[in-house]
Each structure stands twice: as C-alpha cells, then as structure tokens.
Amino acid sequence: MAPLGDAPVAAATAPGLVVSFGEMLIDFVPDMAGVSLAESGGFVKAPGGAPANVACAISKLGGSSAFVGKFGDDEFGHMLVDILKQNSVNVEGCLFDQHARTALAFVTLKSNGEHEFMFYRNPSADMLLTEAELNLDLIRRARIFHYGSISLITEPCRSAHIAAMRAAKSAGILCSYDPNVRLPLWPSAQAARDGIMSIWKEADFIKVSDEEVAFLTQGDAHDEKNVLSLWFDGLKLLVVTDGEKGCRYFTKDFKGSLPGYSVNTVDTTGAGDAFVGSLLLNVAKDDSIFYNEAKLREVLQFSNACGAICTTKKGAIPALPTTATALELISKDTN
C-alpha cells in the first residue's frame, strides 16, 4: 500500500509543521438533537476522529499540519482523505487498506449538546496501520507530533503508534498527547486507564478534560491534588479543559485558570480538538509559552475562544473556527 502520490509537499516543509497521528472516521449524527439512536429518523454524515480534527483545526487557523493514518479503500475512506486535502492538510502519511473498511461511529447528541458514541470498527482500517507503513520522514520533519489513545487499543496500530512516537522523540520533536477517552472501544475501564497511562510520561505536553481527570485519577477533577497526581518531571505543560467554564494550566513554574466564553451550544463534538489545534499552532510558532505565563494565558484565551466557537454548529470539522472568528469572540467579550 503506497502513500498517496498527490500530497501537497510544500505544506510539509513549512516551518512549524504539526503531524497528527491516529484515526479518522465517519460520524453519523442524528438529524434531531435530544433523541436516542433508536429514536432518530435520520442521520447526518460528518467527518470525525480527534487527531484528524486537530490537523484540520491547525490548517484552518493558518498553520501547517499533516495527518498519518489508514483508511479503508472505500468511498468513505476516499471522501475523508479528500476532506483533509480540502482543508489543506498534508496527506503524505495517509494509506488505504483494500481489506478493511473505514471506521464509522454513530454519535447521539443529547438535548444539552453532549454526546454518546457507538462505534463500528471490527476491525477498521485505522487499527491495521503497521510500523513498516509509517512515513517516518514526514514525522521527523515535524515541530510537534500529536496523538491520542485510541491508536493504543489494538495491534498492529499500537506498535506503529509507539514506533512513531519514539522516532519523533529521538529527532527532538515535541510530543503532544490528548488521551480522548472513548470507553466503548476499550475492553474495560481499567484497560483504558492502563493503556492511556502506559505512554503518559513520553509526552512534552498533555491536554485532558475535567471528565478525563476524574476517570484517570478516580477522584474529584476539581481537587488540585488529583490533577497534580498526573504531573511528572519533564512535563512542560498540563492543561485541563473545564467545558464552558474554561481551562486550568500547570507548568513547572506557574499555574492558573482562564474563564471560557458563553455561546449558544449546539454540539460539543470537536470542541476539545479546536482547543488543541489552536494551542499546537501557537506552540509550533513559539514554544517559549511554556516558560512565559503572560504569553501562555494569551494563547489559552485564544484556544478557549476556538473551542467555544466549535460548539455553535453541528459536526467537528465544519464548525472549526478561523483566526478572525476567534478574535471577534474575544473582542466582543472584552468590550
């Protein structure tokens, strides 16, 4: 399986490249909010998958991003790679598998905009990426290598993930981790905790939601002791997102919080990915934000705005903000 030949090579050599590794899939979202999957009369098809959302978020904000992952050699797989291209994401690291399907997820939107997932991947092509198929040249050209935890669940993708991460680390590339807990995909809750924590200390910076802090620590996410139990020597930045309340940040030298933005929430899918994409874009430009609290606060304020805007429309990638819309929300809030 050869990589795609018509990838935009220019994007890959741009400064500040962020390479995102993992899964991209089709989300089927009920066309009415607040109903169960069984009650839904119809579904809207939307591209999804956290690492791919992050790559698209970065490009939409004017940054340079690439995606590494595997797709079924089917209509959905080709559609997804076309969406990456349309969003100016480098696709040199994308592959097609003739023997497996592209993953599908049915996503229930509850009346408060929160979501539940039901996955079809038995196995899907993204789970079958092997170490031998990795485009290590692309990964080594990155400023940041970003990943989640879904790619850790099964072999051979787990070994490919670890090999890609080690190649990035040995090349001096910053490693970014957003665990993105999806319990239905793991054999058990404890397997999810163990799997997610198995690579915890490889990261340079980590973003977790308050719900993920509660899950990983089995304690109150708002008790700082629990959050700090996730800290380790060598970590540069730990960010906890608190939904509409904003975020908390922790570095070796300082910690604090920033309020979120009040918007009319329609669908929270992809909000965390918009936040992460914005943060990575800014770290790729200037990683001194790890050591400069004023700069970090400015970047996280922008990331909060990006996350908030993403909740105002259905679907993740179509709802991703531009720099202009994020700055407009910030200026409205400060006036």
Side-chain angles (χ1 to χ4, degrees):
M1 273 158 286
L4 304 179
D6 51 355
V9 176
T13 53
L17 174 68
V18 179
V19 172
S20 204
F21 175 92
E23 71 285 348
M24 188 178 191
L25 61 153
I26 304 281
D27 285 340
F28 286 96
V29 184
D31 53 10
M32 283 177 60
V35 296
S36 71
L37 292 175
E39 292 164 342
S40 178
F43 295 88
V44 178
K45 183 179 69 191
N53 293 343
V54 168
C56 291
I58 290 163
S59 289
K60 197 156 179 189
L61 292 167
S64 172
S65 70
F67 181 75
V68 173
K70 205 176 201 185
F71 300 80
D73 191 5
D74 51 38
E75 286 205 24
F76 285 151
H78 289 277
M79 181 195 100
L80 290 174
V81 173
D82 284 343
I83 286 167
L84 290 174
K85 290 180 186 173
Q86 287 157 21
N87 282 274
S88 304
V89 175
N90 177 304
V91 295
E92 284 177 61
C94 295
L95 297 152
F96 290 111
D97 191 311
Q98 294 178 343
H99 306 292
R101 295 288 191 201
T102 301
L104 308 178
F106 287 83
V107 185
T108 312
L109 287 177
K110 297 187 209 166
S111 50
N112 63 355
E114 290 296 329
H115 45 270
E116 288 176 353
F117 296 88
M118 185 165 77
F119 293 93
Y120 285 76
R121 2 171 23 238
N122 293 307
S124 53
D126 59 289
M127 300 160 70
L128 301 177
L129 180 68
T130 66
E131 184 177 342
E133 291 171 321
L134 289 171
N135 185 333
L136 292 176
D137 289 341
L138 173 64
I139 290 166
R140 290 184 183 118
R141 294 207 298 274
R143 179 82 190 90
I144 297 170
F145 181 63
H146 174 72
Y147 46 86
S149 69
I150 288 172
S151 42
L152 296 170
I153 297 173
T154 51
E155 293 291 359
C157 191
R158 177 183 166 80
S159 290
H161 178 141
I162 289 168
M165 190 174 64
R166 297 263 155 85
K169 283 185 79 69
S170 63
I173 291 155
L174 292 167
C175 287
S176 160
Y177 189 20
D178 177 0
N180 234 306
V181 175
R182 295 286 180 266
L183 274 182
L185 294 177
W186 292 88
S188 67
Q190 194 53 48
R193 274 187 211 97
D194 293 344
I196 287 163
M197 297 308 293
S198 70
I199 60 163
W200 196 259
K201 293 187 177 178
E202 304 286 342
D204 291 291
F205 41 104
I206 296 172
K207 173 255 162 192
V208 278
S209 70
D210 50 353
E211 288 174 352
E212 287 164 344
V213 170
F215 172 72
L216 292 170
T217 65
Q218 298 181 8
D220 180 0
H222 301 286
D223 183 336
E224 201 169 285
K225 285 204 300 286
N226 289 327
V227 177
L228 290 175
S229 72
L230 298 172
W231 181 266
F232 60 90
D233 283 345
L235 187 62
K236 295 178 172 67
L237 174 66
L238 175 65
V239 176
V240 179
T241 52
D242 291 310
E244 69 279 0
K245 297 189 198 108
C247 67
R248 290 170 277 165
Y249 58 88
F250 303 85
T251 74
K252 187 164 62 77
D253 301 315
F254 49 79
K255 63 183 181 181
S257 63
L258 278 160
Y261 292 91
S262 183
V263 292
N264 180 23
T265 295
V266 173
D267 175 12
T268 60
T269 310
D273 304 325
F275 179 98
V276 170
S278 163
L279 175 59
L280 297 187
L281 170 83
N282 283 290
V283 172
K285 284 184 192 164
D286 179 9
D287 64 11
S288 74
I289 68 164
F290 296 137
Y291 315 104
N292 181 323
E293 188 170 11
K295 271 190 196 174
L296 178 62
R297 288 182 68 84
E298 195 177 318
V299 164
L300 291 175
Q301 180 185 37
F302 184 74
S303 296
N304 277 345
C306 288
I309 289 164
C310 194
T311 70
T312 60
K313 287 186 199 166
K314 272 191 187 176
I317 292 171
L320 292 169
T322 61
T323 300
T325 54
L327 291 174
E328 187 185 343
L329 179 59
I330 291 168
S331 68
K332 261 190 208 162
D333 199 69
T334 49
N335 288 343

